[in-house]
Amino acid sequence: MSSPESPEQQRANSEAPKARLSDHLLAGAGVVVVLLLVVGSLVLWSSYSRGGEDGATPTPSPTPSSSPSVSSPAPRASSPAPTKTSQVPTIRVPEVATVPREKAESILKQAGFTNIVFEELPESADRYLAVRTQPAAGQRAARDARIVVYFPNSTNKAVMPDLVGKEETAARTILASVGLKSQIRYDCPNTPPYAVGTVWSQQHPQYALLQSATTVQVCVVPNT
């Protein structure tokens, strides 16, 4: 017959199962931790293996590209401000060929020219005045430009005036004033547009260059 257990033995016997249970729990927790570590390692290894099989290479981080330098436009040379140039008004030189000196001067003055110069050319055998100007007729020149009018040498010469339509007395006076003599005829037809006693025709045309004291026949409309 066994002897009864002491209280210390009874307490030790009651605590022994608790100790064994605690040891079992600690061992199970250790196993779980180990399993978790193994599973995590497998997952990492699997991910790394897939990355190698797919041939994926790590994408290089983009390097900052140098932005294109925007060159500021070179300063443009400032062009000088346009200056207002004084434009001298010009006049067209009129035609004065075959015109006597006095008439040519009158035409040029009426056109607006103020600096008119006359120069004689060597005597010409032309029947009419051969007048030319410099600048030539049709060109433009300023009002105060030098306009040279060339005339043939008019020594002992007279320019035939225009007498048609003028009264007989006036015609005689005009011829005398230019150094010509008059011879009046009355055999002209009494037809319009000229009235009786006026010049119907003249022997030489207007501006003809004649010798001084030449007698010119003038036909006057008779009173019939």
Side-chain angles (χ1 to χ4, degrees), residues 111-187:
F113 293 107
T114 58
N115 187 9
I116 305 169
V117 179
F118 294 91
E119 292 187 8
E120 289 186 345
L121 298 173
E123 186 173 355
S124 172
D126 293 342
R127 183 178 181 184
Y128 302 100
L129 290 177
V131 182
R132 60 183 177 87
T133 58
Q134 179 62 36
Q139 296 184 358
R140 303 189 69 87
R143 290 180 180 273
D144 57 350
R146 187 171 185 265
I147 308 297
V148 182
V149 184
Y150 294 97
F151 276 87
N153 190 319
S154 58
T155 305
N156 299 322
K157 295 293 191 300
V159 178
M160 180 66 196
D162 183 17
L163 304 175
V164 176
K166 293 180 171 56
E167 294 182 354
E168 178 181 350
T169 303
R172 290 179 181 274
T173 302
I174 293 173
L175 286 173
S177 67
V178 297
L180 297 174
K181 297 178 180 181
S182 58
Q183 180 182 2
I184 306 300
R185 295 169 40 214
Y186 300 99
D187 56 351

Side-chain angles (χ1 to χ4, degrees), residues 1-223:
M1 182 172 178
S2 60
S3 58
E5 295 178 351
S6 61
E8 289 80 6
Q9 289 178 346
Q10 291 178 356
R11 189 168 50 251
N13 291 333
S14 63
E15 292 178 355
K18 293 180 181 179
R20 285 195 297 271
L21 178 59
S22 178
D23 291 339
H24 288 311
L25 290 174
L26 290 174
V31 171
V32 171
V33 171
V34 171
L35 288 175
L36 291 174
L37 292 174
V38 171
V39 171
S41 300
L42 290 175
V43 171
L44 291 175
W45 180 84
S46 176
S47 299
Y48 180 78
S49 298
R50 277 200 308 273
E53 290 173 359
D54 294 340
T57 57
T59 304
S61 59
T63 58
S65 59
S66 59
S67 59
S69 61
V70 180
S71 59
S72 59
R76 298 175 59 184
S78 59
S79 57
T83 57
K84 293 183 179 180
T85 57
S86 58
Q87 295 184 351
V88 179
T90 58
I91 310 170
R92 189 178 300 277
V93 178
E95 178 65 72
V96 293
T98 72
V99 182
R101 172 172 175 157
E102 294 76 10
K103 183 65 174 179
E105 183 176 12
S106 175
I107 293 173
L108 290 170
K109 284 183 176 180
Q110 288 179 4
F113 293 107
T114 58
N115 187 9
I116 305 169
V117 179
F118 294 91
E119 292 187 8
E120 289 186 345
L121 298 173
E123 186 173 355
S124 172
D126 293 342
R127 183 178 181 184
Y128 302 100
L129 290 177
V131 182
R132 60 183 177 87
T133 58
Q134 179 62 36
Q139 296 184 358
R140 303 189 69 87
R143 290 180 180 273
D144 57 350
R146 187 171 185 265
I147 308 297
V148 182
V149 184
Y150 294 97
F151 276 87
N153 190 319
S154 58
T155 305
N156 299 322
K157 295 293 191 300
V159 178
M160 180 66 196
D162 183 17
L163 304 175
V164 176
K166 293 180 171 56
E167 294 182 354
E168 178 181 350
T169 303
R172 290 179 181 274
T173 302
I174 293 173
L175 286 173
S177 67
V178 297
L180 297 174
K181 297 178 180 181
S182 58
Q183 180 182 2
I184 306 300
R185 295 169 40 214
Y186 300 99
D187 56 351
C188 304
N190 187 5
T191 57
Y194 305 114
V196 174
T198 59
V199 177
W200 188 84
S201 65
Q202 58 190 50
Q203 182 180 359
H204 302 285
Q206 183 183 9
Y207 305 139
L209 189 63
L210 307 173
Q211 290 289 339
S212 296
T214 298
T215 300
V216 178
Q217 292 184 2
V218 177
C219 189
V220 176
V221 178
N223 185 5

